[in-house]
């Protein structure tokens, strides 16, 4: 039989417990993510990430978004996951110290192994900490009462994760203790200097590894910043001289508005398809780990608030209602100038106006309609907007059942305003008489959120090279929410002169418009600029603005070389 472990110092106990806690914490974190992905259970990283995103000052959020783009939330997730594993390590180290200090019962045998009861007690402490301290601090309520998962499901999932962590911690601690005993028994001949040398080498290896990791992270961030990667951008705004030309000749409105001219159309390589496939349709959500997976058989829609006859509706009942179809484009408020967070689809669903009519009379004083989602997201629209005939609860997309990533079983469509208002995974519609501020509005984003007119050059691409004297096309898309597009103009000389592009007749008044212009360029360097005008005569705004808080503006500019 192996001898008992010699009396260990506090630092040795702390290191042994922390290592066991770290390893057990990594496995417990993986389990938590799997439960979140497959069963919709609570995810502590998701709760913390959501709280951080809402609490970030807008200038900081803007900088991170401009630097890292859509990957910003992935980096945040990685940081939170590392932090969670380190917290597990801390709990493990402290537990190993407190076992000896409290000396309650037979918690450790003479060989140094811990009793599995310690693991269950540790799980209970973590369960209380998560439910009574951590989740309330993130705004999720006691045991996640404010989350869509509910308090009971949160309590169960936290208990499962905690028990797995506690038992794994004991197993790994005892295994590491056994290895330490073996190493101690086989290394009696080693000198103290040799042991110290090994410890120094290990510390040096860890320190160097952390330095390399830190430099690598900084390098990736710097590369993305320098290369302009992020936000799905396909280029940028004009340089200083071009911007001066654009602002100098800027005319805010044309009266009377120009009439659209739809000419013969050529299929141009590189131009966005008129209808975006479900797989290619852009997707943005607040969720760091996973979007909710809702089962139609279990789903129900509540319509209540300032109405005379609140009701609940099942998915089957929703499908039985009369539906209509409409082509509609959507754009995310975080879309940069020339960005890709803009798509077009054919939607089918039920008018929100009809759903509200089924709830009886809307009480006097009601001002807004609040939409609640299965992932605890919420937002609101003004009652007048909710009663417009094109505001729809969509259940199909491009002829197919609404995909999970786009809001199955039902999502809102609100033409004319940014995508954050088009709430996905809707579970409740509430008419209110207050100025309800949604998830992003609480952090300063626009509440009315009207779409700013935008235009984008799809081809040629940013920094591209094309052949001189060869017939080519400049082509792209233009969008103005529900105001339509009357004309698109192209400048090849930095805004000094403009040429009209050919428009393709849009599928509806709610969609983007595809445009193209034939070009046979001479050799040289060009800065191609695009601008649009809507059906009311409003001209696209050339003033450069970042997405925060009202959506981006400016003219998409693409430099190219012709040789």
């Amino acid at each position: 039989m192996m001898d008992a472990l010699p009396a260990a110092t506090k630092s040795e106990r702390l290191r042994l417990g922390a290592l066991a806690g770290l390893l057990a914490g990594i496995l417990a974190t993986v389990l938590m993510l799997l439960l979140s992905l497959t069963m919709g259970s609570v995810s502590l990283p998701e709760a913390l990430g959501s709280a951080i995103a809402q609490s970030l000052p807008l200038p900081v959020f803007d900088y991170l978004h401009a630097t890292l783009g859509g990957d910003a939330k992935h980096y945040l997730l990685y940081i939170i996951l590392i932090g969670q594993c380190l917290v597990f390590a801390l709990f493990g180290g402290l537990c190993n110290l407190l076992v000896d200090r409290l000396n309650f019962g037979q918690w450790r045998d003479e060989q140094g192994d811990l009793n599995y009861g310690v693991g269950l007690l540790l799980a209970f402490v973590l369960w209380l900490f998560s439910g009574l301290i951590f989740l309330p601090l993130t705004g999720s309520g006691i045991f996640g009462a404010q989350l869509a998962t509910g308090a009971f499901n949160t309590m169960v999932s936290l208990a499962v994760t905690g028990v797995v962590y506690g038992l794994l911690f004991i197993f790994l601690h005892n295994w590491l203790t056994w290895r330490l005993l073996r190493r101690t028994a086989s290394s009696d001949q080693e000198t103290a200097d040799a042991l110290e040398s090994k410890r120094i080498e290990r510390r040096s290896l860890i320190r160097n590894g952390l330095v390399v990791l830190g430099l690598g992270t900084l390098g990736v961030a710097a590369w993305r910043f320098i290369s302009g990667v992020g936000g799905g951008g396909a280029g940028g705004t004009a340089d200083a001289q071009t911007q001066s030309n654009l602002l100098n000749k800027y005319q805010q409105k044309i009266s009377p508005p120009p009439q659209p001219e739809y000419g013969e159309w050529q299929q141009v390589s590189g131009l966005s398809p008129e209808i975006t496939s479900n797989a290619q349709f852009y997707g943005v959500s607040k969720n760091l780990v996973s979007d909710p997976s809702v089962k139609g058989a279990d789903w129900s829609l509540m319509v209540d608030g300032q109405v005379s006859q609140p009701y609940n509706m099942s998915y089957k009942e929703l499908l039985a209602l009369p539906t209509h179809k409409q082509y509609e484009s959507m754009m995310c408020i975080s879309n940069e100038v020339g960005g890709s967070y803009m798509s077009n689809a054919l939607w089918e669903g039920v008018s929100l106006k009809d759903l509200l009519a089924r709830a009886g009379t809307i009480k006097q004083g009601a001002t807004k309609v609040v939409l609640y989602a299965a992932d605890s997201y919420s937002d609101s629209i003004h009652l007048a907007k909710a009663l417009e005939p094109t505001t729809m609860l969509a259940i199909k997309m491009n002829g197919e059942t609404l995909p999970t990533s786009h809001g199955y079983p039902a999502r809102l469509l609100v033409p004319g305003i940014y995508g954050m208002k088009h709430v996905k995974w809707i579970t409740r519609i509430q008419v209110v008489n207050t100025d309800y501020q949604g998830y992003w509005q609480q952090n300063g984003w626009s509440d009315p959120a009207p779409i700013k007119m935008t235009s984008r050059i799809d081809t040629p691409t940013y920094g591209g090279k094309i052949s001189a004297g060869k017939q080519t096309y400049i082509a792209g898309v233009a969008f103005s929410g529900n105001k339509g597009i009357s004309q698109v103009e192209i400048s090849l000389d930095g805004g000094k002169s403009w040429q009209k592009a050919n428009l393709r007749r849009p599928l509806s008044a709610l969609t983007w418009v595809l445009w193209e212009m034939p070009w046979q360029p001479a050799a040289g360097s060009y800065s191609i600029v695009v601008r649009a005008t809507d059906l009311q005569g409003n001209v696209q705004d050339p003033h450069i603005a970042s997405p925060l808080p009202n959506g981006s503006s400016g003219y998409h500019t693409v430099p190219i070389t012709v040789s």
Side-chain angles (χ1 to χ4, degrees):
M1 181 180 292
M2 195 169 290
D3 294 334
L5 183 68
T9 65
K10 288 183 179 181
S11 61
E12 288 171 336
R13 292 284 194 211
L14 181 64
R15 284 198 298 270
L16 186 64
L19 180 57
L22 177 62
L23 296 175
I26 292 173
L27 296 175
T29 297
V30 171
L31 173 64
M32 180 180 288
L33 296 180
L34 287 176
L35 290 175
S36 176
L37 287 168
T38 58
M39 302 178 63
S41 300
V42 69
S43 166
L44 297 183
E46 189 77 64
L48 180 58
S50 179
I52 291 174
Q54 283 192 291
S55 62
L56 280 177
L58 284 183
V60 175
F61 193 106
D62 192 26
Y63 172 77
L64 292 175
H65 182 271
T67 305
L68 303 175
D71 288 335
K73 71 176 185 179
H74 298 143
Y75 292 129
L76 176 60
L77 173 62
Y78 302 149
I79 293 171
I80 291 175
L81 290 177
I82 293 172
Q84 176 167 299
C85 291
L86 292 178
V87 170
F88 276 127
L90 177 62
F91 269 90
L94 293 177
C95 175
N96 208 23
L97 289 179
L98 290 174
V99 163
D100 295 326
R101 181 177 290 274
L102 297 177
N103 195 26
F104 180 76
Q106 201 66 25
W107 284 4
R108 190 194 301 275
D109 63 21
E110 61 180 12
Q111 188 172 292
D113 288 351
L114 291 176
N115 188 290
Y116 276 91
V118 175
L120 295 177
L121 180 59
L122 178 58
F124 181 68
V125 171
L126 280 169
W127 185 74
L128 291 177
F129 173 80
S130 301
L132 299 180
I133 298 177
F134 179 83
L135 285 173
L137 287 176
T138 65
S140 304
I142 295 177
F143 280 105
Q146 304 300 320
L147 298 176
T149 53
F152 178 75
N153 288 336
T154 299
M155 293 170 72
V156 172
S157 61
L158 286 178
V160 170
T161 304
V163 168
V164 169
Y165 167 76
L167 297 181
L168 280 172
F169 168 73
I170 299 301
F171 172 80
L172 291 166
H173 172 276
N174 294 345
W175 178 72
L176 291 169
T177 300
W178 175 76
R179 283 180 56 87
L180 181 59
L181 281 170
R182 286 193 60 185
R183 189 164 63 248
T184 301
S186 62
S187 63
D188 287 342
Q189 302 303 315
E190 292 188 13
T191 64
D193 289 342
L195 288 173
E196 182 63 22
S197 175
K198 286 189 175 183
R199 282 196 292 268
I200 293 174
E201 288 178 3
R202 285 195 295 269
R203 286 197 297 268
S204 177
L205 179 62
I206 294 173
R207 183 174 61 251
N208 292 339
L210 291 174
V211 170
V212 170
L213 179 61
L215 290 175
T217 303
L218 290 174
V220 170
W223 175 81
R224 295 183 66 87
F225 179 76
I226 293 170
S227 61
V229 178
T237 51
D239 58 31
Q241 182 58 50
T242 299
Q243 186 66 17
S244 177
N245 292 336
L246 298 176
L247 294 175
N248 185 46
K249 297 184 178 182
Y250 175 51
Q251 183 180 0
Q252 187 172 6
K253 191 165 186 175
I254 301 174
S255 184
Q259 294 300 308
E261 298 178 6
Y262 306 114
E264 292 187 10
W265 190 258
Q266 300 294 324
Q267 295 299 324
V268 177
S269 177
L271 176 62
S272 297
E274 192 168 23
I275 298 177
T276 313
S277 68
N278 292 355
Q280 295 300 317
F281 201 100
Y282 86 88
V284 175
S285 78
K286 73 174 183 62
N287 303 308
L288 297 182
V289 180
S290 64
D291 292 328
S293 180
V294 183
K295 296 180 180 179
D298 300 330
W299 178 86
S300 67
L301 174 67
M302 176 185 290
V303 181
D304 65 350
Q306 300 295 304
V307 293
S308 60
Q309 299 173 22
Y311 67 91
N312 278 291
M313 175 181 290
S314 69
Y315 185 54
K316 185 177 181 180
E317 290 172 328
L318 177 62
L319 293 179
L321 296 178
T323 62
H324 70 275
K325 300 177 181 180
Q326 66 188 37
Y327 288 99
E328 181 187 335
S329 300
M330 286 175 53
M331 182 166 64
C332 181
I333 195 170
S334 63
N335 197 40
E336 302 279 358
V337 171
S340 61
Y341 291 162
M342 180 168 58
S343 303
N344 183 50
L346 173 62
W347 307 90
E348 182 177 349
V350 180
S351 169
L352 181 57
K353 179 181 180 180
D354 292 343
L355 290 173
L356 292 175
R358 293 170 63 90
T361 304
I362 296 176
K363 297 179 182 179
Q364 190 169 2
T367 56
K368 276 189 169 185
V369 176
V370 182
L371 297 309
Y372 298 90
D375 62 346
S376 300
Y377 181 84
S378 65
D379 209 329
S380 66
I381 58 175
H382 288 282
L383 180 59
K385 192 69 180 176
L387 297 178
E388 290 181 1
T390 54
T391 300
M392 167 198 292
L393 199 69
I395 54 177
K396 288 188 177 182
M397 180 180 183
N398 288 328
E400 301 176 0
T401 299
L402 195 64
T404 295
S405 60
H406 294 293
Y408 175 85
R411 73 167 303 163
L412 188 70
L413 291 181
V414 199
I417 59 181
Y418 283 113
M420 65 179 175
K421 297 282 185 177
H422 299 229
V423 180
K424 297 183 280 189
W425 312 292
I426 289 178
T427 58
R428 183 185 180 191
I429 300 171
Q430 181 187 33
V431 181
V432 300
N433 56 7
T434 59
D435 186 19
Y436 185 89
Q437 298 295 297
Y439 179 88
W440 290 115
Q441 286 72 44
Q442 294 175 28
N443 196 34
W445 289 83
S446 172
D447 186 33
I451 288 176
K452 292 183 179 180
M453 187 170 9
T454 188
S455 52
R456 184 182 73 203
I457 300 168
D458 286 344
T459 183
T461 57
Y462 191 92
K465 296 181 180 180
I466 58 178
S467 300
K470 183 179 179 181
Q471 178 74 29
T472 187
Y473 277 85
I474 304 171
V477 297
F479 183 47
S480 190
N482 56 356
K483 295 183 177 67
I485 297 293
S486 63
Q487 72 177 16
V488 173
E489 298 170 285
I490 306 300
S491 174
L492 302 172
D493 52 15
K496 295 178 182 178
S497 62
W498 295 89
Q499 305 175 50
K500 285 187 178 181
N502 181 35
L503 304 183
R504 181 167 184 170
R505 188 180 298 275
L507 294 171
S508 83
L510 308 177
T511 70
W512 61 16
V513 173
L514 274 59
W515 58 265
E516 63 184 14
M517 188 184 82
W519 187 35
Q520 191 166 336
S525 296
Y526 296 85
S527 185
I528 306 175
V529 186
V530 61
R531 71 181 181 191
T533 304
D534 69 20
L535 292 174
Q536 298 175 2
N538 300 302
V539 181
Q540 183 180 343
D541 188 356
H543 294 90
I544 297 174
S546 66
L548 285 133
N550 300 310
S552 65
S553 66
Y555 291 173
H556 191 206
T557 304
V558 172
I560 64 164
T561 301
V562 179
S563 58

